[in-house]
Amino acid sequence: LSYGDYEVLSGVSFEVQDGSCLVVMGGSGCGKSTLLKSLVGLLEPSGGEVFFGSSNLWASSQEDSEAILRGVGVLFQGGALWSAMNLLENVSLPLETYTELSDSEIARVAEYKLGLVGLSGYEEFYPSQLSGGMKKRAGLARAMALDPQILFFDEPSAGLDPLSSRRLDDLINELKESLGITFVVVSHELASIFEIADDSIFLDAKSKTLLQQGSPAWLLDNSEHDHVRSFLSRDLSS
């Protein structure tokens, strides 16, 4: 992965198992968000391939790649909600754009998605009226609007207080277990990493590659890399 002539990552190869949560972790500047951009169709790799099942995202036609990406949802750091739309309208937007559902059917689906994330009764609220945690949950509801098989999160706990962060972690685990959704989460928050991750990859800024893959608990106990263990043991007691 590169920006012009500047190489961000190379030699990165990993798999994500269906119905699991994989956390992408590493220090600042290691390429976590850059990797996520490639996985969601925003940054074409300078080499290599991205597969969803047997479908090659970047080698497909525009029509086919768009069809692939309609099977995924993305939750950005700030929720990225439209400020001039209430929550029902925000969640309805993907359904209006990509389905042939009637207005009443769209409203029912949007209300159901808001209910899944604990926001029933907030349909008429605007983003400015919500707390940070509620905005994240509303963004998650919108990301789930088209029933994606995979959800990508970029620092979902950023800016949240510990209680809101824990509630979001619990929601991720609940959705994974009840709906079988696959999650790929960029995070540096240790509490969240250990709570939600079935698997993880550690990106290294110095070598610009994937240093190691495994569950966070396994890496903490068994990694041969000092800075992987240091990353996973910092402030762990808190």
Side-chain angles (χ1 to χ4, degrees):
L1 291 167
S2 304
Y3 293 111
D5 294 331
Y6 179 75
E7 184 177 74
V8 179
L9 288 168
S10 65
V12 174
S13 183
F14 63 96
E15 293 184 356
V16 183
Q17 299 300 315
D18 286 343
S20 70
C21 177
L22 179 132
V23 169
V24 181
M25 59 187 185
S28 298
C30 68
K32 301 186 295 293
S33 294
T34 298
L35 176 61
L36 193 67
K37 288 179 182 178
S38 180
L39 301 181
V40 301
L42 296 177
L43 178 66
E44 184 172 3
S46 52
E49 299 165 315
V50 177
F51 282 92
F52 288 83
S54 60
S55 300
N56 188 334
L57 176 62
W58 290 103
S60 299
S61 66
Q62 181 176 347
E63 181 180 1
D64 288 342
S65 64
E66 288 176 354
I68 294 169
L69 292 174
R70 279 197 291 273
V72 310
V74 183
L75 176 61
F76 298 100
Q77 282 193 32
L81 298 170
W82 294 99
S83 60
M85 295 181 177
N86 62 34
L87 295 196
L88 187 68
E89 292 167 336
N90 264 282
V91 179
S92 296
L93 186 59
L95 297 162
E96 294 169 351
T97 305
Y98 294 110
T99 75
E100 301 297 326
L101 297 175
S102 67
D103 290 346
S104 61
E105 290 171 328
I106 288 173
R108 283 198 297 272
V109 172
E111 289 171 357
Y112 171 69
K113 300 299 182 181
L114 287 167
L116 282 178
V117 300
L119 289 175
S120 291
Y122 288 88
E123 291 83 1
E124 302 301 321
F125 280 62
Y126 286 84
S128 62
Q129 298 173 294
L130 305 178
S131 67
M134 294 170 76
K135 288 178 183 178
K136 290 288 180 76
R137 285 188 280 146
L140 175 54
R142 188 181 59 186
M144 294 171 55
L146 297 175
D147 296 323
Q149 299 171 314
I150 306 173
L151 282 170
F152 293 94
F153 287 2
D154 188 10
E155 299 284 6
S157 298
L160 299 184
D161 63 82
L163 182 58
S164 296
S165 179
R166 180 55 187 265
R167 286 173 176 166
L168 187 59
D169 291 339
D170 290 343
L171 180 57
I172 290 172
N173 285 333
E174 180 182 339
L175 294 172
K176 182 181 63 176
E177 294 169 8
S178 62
L179 301 180
I181 296 174
T182 303
F183 288 88
V184 177
V185 180
V186 170
S187 181
H188 70 278
E189 299 284 348
L190 278 189
S192 291
I193 288 171
F194 280 93
E195 179 66 25
I196 66 176
D198 300 299
D199 198 5
S200 65
I201 58 174
F202 189 93
L203 303 181
D204 179 51
K206 185 176 181 180
S207 62
K208 298 183 178 182
T209 193
L210 191 164
L211 203 59
Q212 201 161 18
Q213 180 169 3
S215 73
W218 187 90
L219 292 178
L220 177 61
D221 292 337
N222 299 286
S223 177
E224 66 272 23
H225 301 286
D226 289 342
H227 57 300
V228 173
R229 297 195 308 274
S230 296
F231 179 91
L232 288 168
S233 60
R234 59 192 166 89
D235 299 325
L236 192 59
S237 60
S238 61

